[in-house]
């Protein structure tokens, strides 16, 4: 029971309620610092990844479009968000520090994102293919930004505030729980497809999908 509680805590660090606002803060922080090229790159890459995750979930929930052989019903949103946002946040948070400090921070964030992916498997909310797809997509986004993201101005006056807000939101019970974002996607999928019930994983493996 205690082990599952630990995984439930870890999985919160991939929740959209926490990481979408953090992604927006990163974009604003880069823009304010004068590194607008990186801000645009982050916005485009991250936004494209989110749309792709949204599209795969929508396609399955509303129309049953999945890959039976891979047990795939949509890219893991938690894995994608954790793998993209957390490393970029660690890099942004340590700008102006020594290069080795930055590297250790980014590596720690990558490990945390990996644990988020593992938590999705152990909590039986995603299959291996869905988690791998999410981690791969998220890492692709992060590394598209970090290697070329050389900040020349360091006017990050609200970095501490953003970090404090993230920690408070992540540690307070009841904040960042799973379900709300998925519920919104499910509702939209049903409205667009005209179905009364969403497709499920069991339906993917049924001989006939009604």
């Amino acid at each position: 029971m205690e082990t599952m509680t630990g995984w439930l805590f870890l999985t919160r660090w991939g929740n959209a309620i926490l990481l979408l606002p953090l992604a927006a803060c990163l974009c604003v922080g880069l823009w304010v610092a004068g590194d607008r090229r990186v801000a645009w790159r982050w916005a485009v890459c991250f936004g494209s990844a989110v749309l792709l995750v949204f599209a795969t979930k929508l396609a399955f929930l509303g129309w049953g479009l999945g890959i039976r052989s891979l047990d795939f019903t949509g890219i893991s949103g938690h894995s994608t968000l954790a793998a993209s946002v957390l490393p970029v946040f660690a890099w942004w948070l340590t700008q102006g520090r020594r290069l080795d400090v930055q590297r250790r921070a980014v590596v720690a964030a990558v490990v945390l994102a990996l644990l988020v992916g593992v938590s999705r498997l152990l909590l039986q909310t995603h299959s291996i293919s869905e988690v791998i797809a999410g981690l791969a997509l998220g890492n692709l986004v992060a590394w598209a930004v970090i290697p070329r993201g050389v900040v020349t101005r360091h006017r990050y006056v609200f970095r501490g505030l953003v970090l404090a807000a993230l920690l408070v939101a992540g540690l307070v019970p009841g904040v960042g729980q799973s379900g709300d974002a998925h519920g919104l996607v499910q509702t939209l999928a049903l409205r667009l497809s005209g179905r009364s019930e969403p497709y499920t994983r069991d339906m993917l493996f049924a001989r006939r999908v009604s």
Side-chain angles (χ1 to χ4, degrees):
M1 184 66 178
E2 291 182 359
T3 301
M4 294 310 295
T5 301
W7 288 114
L8 282 169
F9 173 76
L10 278 171
T11 209
R12 296 171 66 179
W13 297 98
N15 195 276
I17 295 175
L18 294 178
L19 297 190
L20 287 180
L22 180 58
C25 286
L26 289 173
C27 191
V28 172
L30 288 165
W31 188 274
V32 170
D35 206 340
R36 298 184 176 180
R37 181 177 299 179
V38 180
W40 274 114
R41 186 185 302 136
W42 168 243
V44 171
C45 292
F46 179 74
S48 298
V50 170
L51 287 176
L52 182 57
V53 171
F54 179 76
T56 61
K57 290 179 177 293
L58 201 67
F60 179 74
L61 291 171
W63 292 271
L65 299 178
I67 305 175
R68 181 177 177 177
S69 61
L70 295 178
D71 190 12
F72 183 84
T73 64
I75 301 172
S76 169
H78 278 68
S79 301
T80 302
L81 290 176
S84 58
V85 178
L86 295 179
V88 175
F89 176 60
W91 164 78
W92 176 77
L93 197 64
T94 54
Q95 281 298 310
R97 302 293 183 89
R98 298 194 317 271
L99 184 59
D100 62 318
V101 173
Q102 292 186 23
R103 287 176 175 172
R104 286 198 294 267
V106 171
V107 168
V110 170
V111 172
L112 177 56
L114 178 61
L115 290 175
V116 170
V118 172
S119 74
R120 304 311 286 168
L121 293 175
L122 295 181
L123 295 173
Q124 299 182 346
T125 55
H126 280 292
S127 68
I128 294 177
S129 64
E130 293 162 357
V131 169
I132 290 177
L135 291 175
L137 178 60
N139 276 290
L140 182 64
V141 170
W143 294 117
V145 174
I146 293 175
R148 296 185 295 275
V150 180
V151 178
T152 55
R153 304 178 187 179
H154 305 293
R155 293 179 291 165
Y156 294 126
V157 294
F158 60 95
R159 282 190 296 189
L161 180 61
V162 173
L163 176 61
L166 176 66
L167 291 176
V168 170
L171 295 175
V172 172
V175 178
Q177 298 295 332
S178 301
D180 293 340
H182 180 76
L184 291 174
V185 176
Q186 180 174 290
T187 299
L188 181 58
L190 294 179
R191 288 183 179 179
L192 292 175
S193 65
R195 288 179 57 86
S196 58
E197 296 292 335
Y199 281 93
T200 65
R201 195 178 299 274
D202 290 338
M203 292 179 180
L204 181 66
F205 287 93
R207 291 185 178 180
R208 293 184 61 185
V209 179
S210 59

